[in-house]
Amino acid sequence: MGVSTSSPEKGICLVTVDFPPVNALPVKGWCELADAVRAAGRDPGNRCVVLAATGRGFNAGVDIKEMQRDPGHSALIGANRGCYEAFAAVYECEVPVVAAVGGFCLGGGIGLAGNADAIVASDDAVFGLPELDRGALGAATHLARLVPQHLMRALYYTSRTATAQELHAHGSVWKVVPRDELHSAAMELAREIARKDGTLIRLAKAAINGIDPVDVRRSYRFEQGFTFEANLSGVADRVRDTFGAPDTSGAPATEEAPQ
């Protein structure tokens, strides 16, 4: 359990996340992931990083239960810092990052996939931000990199998800494959990238980041400020405390990672 790295082929580093049952990462997990991706990018032998996960889904965001156990705000602060660093590590990785997304990609998973250079997804993959149902805000910055602006807003306000096929139609997912072919498809793309000259591919990554129209670090940090406001006002706790409880309001159920 945790974050592991391996070198399946020359020039390719595989970073794998494993936090059962649903890859909802605790504070320590986000920090470990950030460190692993940054280390992989610094390694001169690597020309591409594949970010993958084991189990039922790619990522279910932060560990809400860790926050519920914390009587203060240290878990919230830690999660915000950890997510911020992990998302930035993917975006700023010195070589391209290919996200291999299988199953659910929710909350923090959107931050990771949205900051990746390319996404290969399984045909059962779904992408969304259930933040408003969790007493949180954030990662709209990264969802906006995956879908058009008005769709991003509708998904954000409703907590609904979009399928891998829908994202492929929008051009943000490179390829959609059956779940058992996800690893090989991600490696195929990584292999093609890793054939490029190592120095040139790093220059290309820096150049593309340099012309990005949105400063993802500043944009996401701005969003996080509203998460703190929601917590200080008490509304976040009120909403978060309903997490996992049966819905008795009669409203339509929102989509979330299976527990």
Side-chain angles (χ1 to χ4, degrees), residues 25-45:
L25 273 59
V27 172
K28 181 181 178 182
W30 290 110
C31 296
E32 289 178 355
L33 179 55
D35 290 343
V37 172
R38 290 196 185 281
R42 286 193 300 266
D43 187 335

Side-chain angles (χ1 to χ4, degrees), residues 241-250:
D241 287 345
T242 66
F243 177 66
D247 184 5
T248 59
S249 67

Side-chain angles (χ1 to χ4, degrees), residues 91 114-116 140-147 172 209 212-214 216:
Y91 183 78
N115 269 355
T141 291
H142 313 95
L143 185 58
R145 297 166 67 83
L146 301 176
V147 298
S172 51
N209 278 8
D212 223 327
V214 175
V216 294

Side-chain angles (χ1 to χ4, degrees), residues 234-257:
V235 65
D237 286 335
R238 185 169 71 247
V239 174
R240 192 161 48 232
D241 287 345
T242 66
F243 177 66
D247 184 5
T248 59
S249 67
T254 54
E255 296 171 352
E256 61 182 51

Side-chain angles (χ1 to χ4, degrees), residues 196-229:
K196 307 302 181 185
D197 179 85
T199 299
L200 201 58
I201 200 69
R202 289 168 183 270
L203 289 173
K205 176 66 183 279
I208 290 175
N209 278 8
I211 63 171
D212 223 327
V214 175
D215 182 338
V216 294
R217 266 183 169 268
R218 178 187 293 179
S219 180
Y220 179 56
R221 197 61 170 165
F222 178 81
E223 288 187 76
Q224 285 188 318
F226 289 94
T227 297
F228 278 110
E229 183 175 328

Side-chain angles (χ1 to χ4, degrees), residues 47-50 93-98 117 193 201-202 205:
R47 299 181 183 182
C48 186
V49 172
V50 174
C93 184
E94 296 176 32
V95 297
V97 176
V98 175
D117 294 274
I193 294 170
I201 200 69
R202 289 168 183 270
K205 176 66 183 279

